[in-house]
């Protein structure tokens, strides 16, 4: 991405600039009159000349200093007009704003979004190299190009994720309520992904699980929880374009005593990414993750802990509009021998804990998701029918939370929601917690098993 850094103009430059702009006839002669949009651009250039040519350029007609101020004002007006016209013409915008507000699709109007980290596939267990994937027909990219539209959707969602999480790291701090954190993050995500019904938006509620709570916590309305200096907070949020989901998470701490815990989990996640690949057995990925995670010890408040992988939390394959599409990537040994396949997308995520290394349901439920495989089920309650229609229209099979129903103007829906859960149409996903007093951390990336390379599509400069 190109970054535009504004600089101050000297008085000499300001006086020359109008003359350069008035050379519009030269620019117009270079343009092909048959090209679409040429007439429109000619008109705009003439319009710009009218805007940028200062009235009374002779110094004898007024004070030079006052004229300089007027010139600066004209230059700023011109820049604003040109930026708006570039957006209308589909030209590349110079850079993201601070705070970020320009949708990713407008930053890259050509549709050529940044790729993630491209990695070679690991050699198989029998020692056979994976180099054959980059030779002959495969190297030509023919197989890769067949799915280029799908890869592009993932990349656009990933670029939005990177911008949002960089923004979040700039302001998240102790003393903020969890509701404020989640809503500020989600507002930014909606802007950058250019939310558009089920075509583009948030893939699931923002997880902000704290300390012994490892996953699936987001505050419901009225939740007074405040982020504290000694908390370990997992920020887990997703974006999607056309149902192509980016599932990516990181851990936020303020006290350096947790640094070693975060390092252990980050290393385990990167190890899982490194060993994942086409034809790799899922159980082998889990075994390597466990080996790395358990090699770490952390000292917190004078007590030493071996970092334990949370054995009943897993990575998973990702389908279109389906966050968990059937395959699980364990983070301990002994998992299934099912193999990863070409063209699949996976969320490689690991959780480390100073507790028992196992989680259970606890606290008030906030996450829900429509059952992907459920067929027609008769519903008696009118309010339950209405609520299901709202869910189908706004979320389909993507996960949602109670705050999002509130945002849509729904009220007094808890009985209807329970009815849909009892009928098996909606599945609840309550918070998952280890023992109280323990600390848990999480890191996660989305990877694409492309025919020639493995792409860590959500990789950024941060992790």
């Amino acid at each position: 991405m190109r970054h535009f850094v504004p600089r101050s103009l000297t008085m000499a430059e300001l006086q020359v600039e109008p003359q350069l702009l008035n050379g519009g006839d030269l620019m117009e002669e270079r343009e092909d009159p048959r090209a679409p949009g040429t007439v429109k651009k000619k008109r705009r250039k003439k319009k710009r000349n009218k805007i940028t040519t200062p009235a009374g350029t002779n110094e004898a007609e007024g004070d030079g200093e006052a004229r300089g101020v007027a010139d600066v004002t004209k230059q700023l007006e011109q820049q604003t007009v040109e930026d708006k016209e570039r957006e209308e013409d589909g030209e590349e915008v110079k850079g993201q704003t601070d705070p970020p507000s320009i949708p990713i699709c407008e930053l890259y109007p050509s549709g050529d979004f940044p790729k993630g980290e491209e990695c070679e596939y690991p050699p198989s267990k029998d020692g056979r190299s994976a180099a054959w994937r980059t030779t002959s027909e495969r190297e030509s990219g023919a197989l890769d190009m067949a799915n280029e539209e799908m890869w592009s959707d993932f990349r656009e969602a990933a670029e939005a994720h990177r911008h949002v999480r960089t923004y979040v790291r700039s302001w998240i701090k102790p003393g903020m309520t969890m509701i404020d954190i989640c809503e500020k993050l989600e507002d930014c995500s909606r802007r950058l992904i250019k939310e558009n019904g089920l075509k583009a938006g948030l893939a699931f509620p923002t997880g902000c699980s704290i300390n012994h709570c490892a996953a699936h916590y987001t505050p419901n309305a009225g939740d007074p929880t405040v982020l504290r200096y000694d908390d370990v907070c997992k920020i887990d949020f997703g974006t999607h374009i056309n149902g192509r989901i980016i599932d990516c998470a990181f851990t936020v701490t303020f006290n350096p005593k947790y640094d070693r815990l975060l390092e252990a989990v980050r290393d385990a996640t990167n190890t899982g990414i490194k060993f994942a690949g086409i034809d790799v057995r899922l159980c082998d990925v889990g075994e390597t993750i466990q080996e790395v995670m358990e090699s770490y010890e952390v000292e917190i408040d004078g007590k030493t802990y071996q970092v334990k992988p949370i054995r009943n939390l897993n990575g998973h394959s990702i389908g279109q509009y389906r966050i968990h599409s059937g395959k699980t990537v364990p983070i301990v040994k002994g998992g299934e021998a099912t193999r990863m396949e070409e063209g699949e997308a996976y969320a490689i995520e690991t959780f480390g804990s100073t507790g028992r290394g196992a989680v259970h349901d606890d606290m008030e439920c906030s996450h829900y998701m429509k059952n992907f495989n459920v067929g027609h089920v008769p519903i008696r309650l009118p309010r339950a029918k209405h609520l299901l229609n709202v869910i189908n229209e706004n979320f389909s099979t993507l996960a949602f939370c109670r705050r999002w129903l509130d945002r849509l103007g729904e009220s007094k829906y808890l009985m209807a929601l329970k009815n849909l859960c009892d009928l098996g149409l909606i599945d609840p996903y309550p918070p998952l917690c280890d023992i109280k007093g323990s600390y848990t951390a999480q890191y996660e990336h989305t990877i694409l098993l492309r025919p020639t390379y493995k792409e860590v599509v959500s990789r950024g400069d941060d992790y």
Side-chain angles (χ1 to χ4, degrees):
M1 179 173 58
R2 294 185 299 168
H3 292 276
F4 174 72
V5 181
R7 64 186 179 90
S8 58
L9 299 172
T10 64
M11 289 301 299
E13 288 174 314
L14 288 172
Q15 291 171 7
V16 172
E17 189 69 20
Q19 298 171 14
L20 294 176
L21 289 168
N22 285 335
D25 293 337
L26 278 175
M27 297 174 69
E28 289 168 10
E29 287 174 8
R30 291 175 189 158
E31 291 178 347
D32 183 357
R34 294 167 298 177
T38 302
V39 175
K40 184 178 180 183
K41 289 187 178 180
K42 282 182 179 178
R43 289 174 184 164
R44 282 182 178 160
K45 288 187 178 77
K46 290 177 182 176
K47 184 179 177 183
R48 289 177 197 168
N49 291 341
K50 290 178 182 178
I51 293 173
T52 56
T53 303
T57 54
N58 192 333
E59 283 189 6
E61 293 178 11
D63 183 72
E65 184 177 347
R67 184 177 60 80
V69 173
D71 284 352
V72 171
T73 304
K74 296 289 185 183
Q75 290 292 327
L76 293 174
E77 290 175 357
Q78 174 211 346
Q79 182 178 328
T80 303
V81 170
E82 288 181 348
D83 284 347
K84 288 181 179 178
E85 290 176 352
R86 283 193 189 97
E87 290 182 39
E88 291 170 4
D89 291 341
E91 297 175 25
E92 186 171 342
V93 179
K94 294 170 182 174
Q96 185 57 272
T97 58
D98 184 19
S101 61
I102 303 172
I104 300 304
C105 61
E106 294 178 15
L107 281 178
Y108 300 90
S110 65
D112 186 15
F113 302 103
K115 292 182 179 180
E117 179 188 24
E118 291 183 321
C119 312
E120 291 187 4
Y121 284 110
S124 59
K125 281 282 188 179
D126 58 11
R128 184 165 60 97
S129 170
W132 65 274
R133 292 192 172 276
T134 58
T135 59
S136 67
E137 181 189 354
R138 287 180 174 271
E139 192 171 30
S140 71
L143 290 170
D144 221 6
M145 288 301 294
N147 289 320
E148 187 59 32
E149 187 175 341
M150 177 173 68
W151 306 144
S152 180
D153 287 343
F154 276 113
R155 289 169 189 150
E156 182 180 353
E159 184 68 5
H161 198 287
R162 280 187 286 270
H163 283 237
V164 173
R165 71 190 193 227
T166 299
Y167 172 58
V168 170
R169 286 177 180 273
S170 72
W171 51 257
I172 190 170
K173 61 183 179 181
M176 297 183 70
T177 66
M178 304 315 294
I179 286 183
D180 286 346
I181 291 170
C182 290
E183 290 186 346
K184 193 171 182 179
L185 183 156
E186 289 165 2
D187 286 346
C188 183
S189 287
R190 290 187 174 100
R191 284 195 304 273
L192 299 196
I193 206 69
K194 202 169 186 179
E195 188 176 39
N196 180 20
L198 293 174
K199 293 181 180 179
L202 309 186
F204 52 85
T206 302
C208 54
S209 308
I210 300 173
N211 299 335
H212 70 288
C213 181
H216 294 175
Y217 165 75
T218 198
N220 291 321
D223 188 331
T225 306
V226 172
L227 185 63
R228 300 170 301 176
Y229 175 77
D230 281 326
D231 284 339
V232 180
C233 180
K234 282 71 64 182
I235 301 294
D236 187 354
F237 71 99
T239 51
H240 83 91
I241 297 290
N242 294 319
R244 305 300 180 182
I245 298 170
I246 292 298
D247 188 359
C248 188
F250 60 98
T251 301
V252 172
T253 58
F254 307 99
N255 193 325
K257 68 182 180 181
Y258 303 117
D259 288 354
R260 185 72 171 164
L261 173 63
L262 271 59
E263 180 186 348
V265 181
R266 189 165 50 242
D267 190 5
T269 297
N270 287 330
T271 300
I273 291 169
K274 179 181 177 181
F275 281 87
I278 297 170
D279 294 334
V280 173
R281 299 190 307 171
L282 296 170
C283 58
D284 293 337
V285 178
E287 187 173 350
T288 58
I289 288 173
Q290 181 176 12
E291 184 178 344
V292 169
M293 183 93 71
E294 291 181 346
S295 69
Y296 282 83
E297 286 187 344
V298 299
E299 183 178 335
I300 300 175
D301 297 332
K303 189 173 181 180
T304 301
Y305 304 88
Q306 181 187 41
V307 181
K308 297 178 183 177
I310 299 179
R311 57 183 179 271
N312 54 342
L313 290 177
N314 308 283
H316 47 89
S317 57
I318 300 174
Q320 190 172 20
Y321 293 102
R322 192 177 185 186
I323 187 65
H324 292 255
S325 66
K327 294 183 179 179
T328 60
V329 185
I331 61 175
V332 293
K333 62 183 179 181
E336 295 181 359
T338 307
R339 295 181 185 272
M340 294 179 160
E341 298 177 55
E342 183 178 300
E344 291 180 326
Y346 281 89
I348 305 296
E349 60 181 319
T350 71
F351 295 83
S353 175
T354 61
R356 293 189 304 118
V359 291
H360 58 277
D361 294 350
D362 197 5
M363 305 196 302
E364 184 179 49
C365 187
S366 55
H367 284 54
Y368 299 85
M369 187 166 63
K370 186 179 176 183
N371 188 325
F372 193 86
N373 298 312
V374 73
H376 174 71
V377 176
I379 304 173
R380 290 187 176 183
L381 292 179
R383 290 189 67 84
K385 286 183 181 179
H386 166 76
L387 184 61
L388 183 60
N389 288 336
V390 170
I391 292 168
N392 284 334
E393 182 179 343
N394 292 278
F395 313 118
S396 184
T397 53
L398 296 172
F400 62 94
C401 63
R402 284 161 53 178
R403 277 189 299 106
W404 292 1
L405 292 176
D406 300 336
R407 184 173 177 270
L408 292 171
E410 297 300 310
S411 62
K412 300 180 180 179
Y413 53 77
L414 289 180
M415 183 69 74
L417 184 58
K418 181 179 184 303
N419 182 242
L420 295 177
C421 291
D422 292 341
L423 292 172
L425 289 164
I426 302 296
D427 291 325
Y429 292 88
L432 300 171
C433 301
D434 203 331
I435 56 174
K436 288 185 178 180
S438 63
Y439 298 98
T440 61
Q442 173 196 18
Y443 278 92
E444 177 180 23
H445 274 300
T446 296
I447 65 171
L448 309 176
L449 301 187
R450 290 165 44 196
T452 51
Y453 290 96
K454 168 177 53 184
E455 182 176 347
V456 190
V457 67
S458 56
R459 180 76 79 190
D461 294 334
D462 46 359
Y463 63 94

